Amino acid sequence: MTAQVIDGKAFAAGLRARVAEKVAQLKVDHGLTPGLAVVLVGEDPASEVYVRNKGEQTRAAGMNSFEYKMPATATEAELLERVAALNADPAVHGILVQLPLPRHMDSAKVIDLIDPAKDVDGFHVVNAGKLAVGAKGMVPCTPLGCLMLIKDRLGPNLAGLDAVVIGRSNIVGKPMAQLLLRESCTVTIAHSKTRDLPGVVRRADIVVAAVGVPLMVKGDWVKPGALVIDVGMNRIPKEGSNGTRLVGDVDYQTAAEVAGHITPVPGGVGPMTIACLLANCLTAACAQAGLPEPVL
Ligand code: GUN
């Protein structure tokens, strides 16, 4: 079998266009423009690229983008003060504090201060708890994007399918497992201590790899016809040069020969994260204005 490639770049472009349409409608109907605030502390080059992309795509969707850059020497108290000011600002409907934070800051404490209604990352314990009990709340962007790609290929009913999520992070693995459970999948969360990981993955109709180990999931781990979502973004040395190349957690070459559907890296899950962030910000703005949840 040769897998069908899941084009996350195209799907994300479509989602951003639908968000932009709803944003334009919101302006006409209610005079409301969603606003997203992004706070970046320090000068991590990868984070600077992410934040710049977020700002550009926020504006392209017709929303207001507020960017706050703080030096790496800023104190935790100064960051908490900034978050408190954004919580109180009615023009700001979504707040994202770019992670990782400098080591002298406690990211849990910072996330804890974000108003859960404005927590477009879905990282606040209130939103994590809502997801766990099946209540409406903000859902983390990457898992939300993965679920959209899965449903786009398998249809809306995932009930009874075996899903294996590799990785147990609060940002991807745990919320991804909760989302799949909410869809009535039989969910296994595998991680670095899992015994016979290849055997566990081989049972899965849906595999979501989010471990951060380059090229770990091999073709012979994959059940023929399974859907494989690769969340990994790993830089490894490029053969025959002193540059690097971006690879996922899945060995694409071998897995694509066995899987039914597979996301590439780059161009798979990556573009979905910011598109879902924009969707979450629109949803947050509607909720804060007492309007119905937009259907995207
Ligand atoms: N750093 C890398 N990805 C993310 C993300 O999705 N949200 C935040 N806040 N920081 C990140």
Side-chain angles (χ1 to χ4, degrees):
M1 174 173 290
T2 304
Q4 290 182 41
V5 180
I6 301 173
D7 186 347
K9 200 173 161 190
F11 193 96
L15 178 58
R16 290 199 308 272
R18 296 195 292 280
V19 169
E21 226 171 85
K22 298 275 181 193
V23 167
Q25 199 68 47
L26 205 54
K27 263 184 229 185
V28 171
D29 294 347
H30 302 281
L32 175 64
T33 302
L36 173 65
V38 176
V39 183
L40 173 62
V41 187
E43 284 94 34
D44 176 57
S47 292
E48 282 184 346
V49 173
Y50 283 137
V51 168
R52 194 167 55 238
N53 287 339
K54 281 170 193 161
E56 282 171 9
Q57 294 187 24
T58 302
R59 286 185 289 276
M63 309 202 285
N64 289 328
S65 169
F66 308 100
E67 276 177 34
Y68 298 90
K69 293 198 174 169
M70 303 176 75
T73 52
T75 63
E76 188 182 84
E78 285 170 321
L79 176 57
L80 292 171
E81 222 172 276
R82 169 57 61 204
V83 170
L86 295 171
N87 280 343
D89 186 342
V92 171
H93 304 95
I95 301 170
L96 181 147
V97 177
Q98 184 69 26
L99 301 177
L101 287 170
R103 283 230 291 268
H104 64 281
M105 294 184 178
D106 178 355
S107 52
K109 195 167 163 189
V110 175
I111 291 166
D112 202 42
L113 186 66
I114 297 174
D115 178 350
K118 297 189 176 187
D119 170 37
V120 283
D121 261 328
F123 293 168
H124 194 286
V125 288
V126 165
N127 285 316
K130 283 183 171 175
L131 182 59
V133 299
K136 263 199 193 318
M138 286 286 138
V139 176
C141 303
T142 300
L144 183 60
C146 292
L147 184 65
M148 287 180 187
L149 295 178
I150 294 167
K151 285 186 160 181
D152 181 56
R153 292 308 169 104
L154 302 185
N157 182 11
L158 307 178
L161 293 177
D162 278 310
V164 171
V165 178
I166 315 171
R168 53 176 154 179
S169 72
N170 291 336
I171 294 179
V172 183
K174 283 182 204 157
M176 186 76 249
Q178 295 287 5
L179 282 173
L180 290 164
L181 189 59
R182 204 166 75 176
E183 298 296 333
S184 300
C185 291
T186 302
V187 182
T188 303
I189 306 178
H191 48 76
S192 57
K193 301 286 192 291
T194 296
R195 277 179 285 161
D196 185 22
L197 185 57
V200 170
V201 173
R202 229 171 262 132
R203 293 203 302 261
D205 304 302
I206 299 168
V207 181
V208 180
V211 261
V213 178
L215 309 172
M216 186 179 76
V217 178
K218 309 294 180 201
D220 64 0
W221 296 23
V222 176
K223 176 160 110 176
L227 183 148
V228 178
I229 299 281
D230 190 352
V231 184
M233 294 245 262
N234 312 290
R235 289 221 160 264
I236 63 168
K238 196 173 183 170
E239 301 84 10
S241 86
N242 46 18
T244 60
R245 69 183 177 109
L246 189 65
V247 297
D249 294 346
V250 176
D251 180 14
Y252 185 88
Q253 299 301 336
T254 58
E257 285 174 19
V258 186
H261 305 268
I262 190 167
T263 58
V265 176
V269 173
M272 291 300 291
T273 299
I274 298 182
C276 287
L277 175 69
L278 303 181
N280 275 354
C281 192
L282 170 64
T283 301
C286 290
Q288 286 159 50
L291 297 169
E293 185 177 337
V295 180
L296 289 162

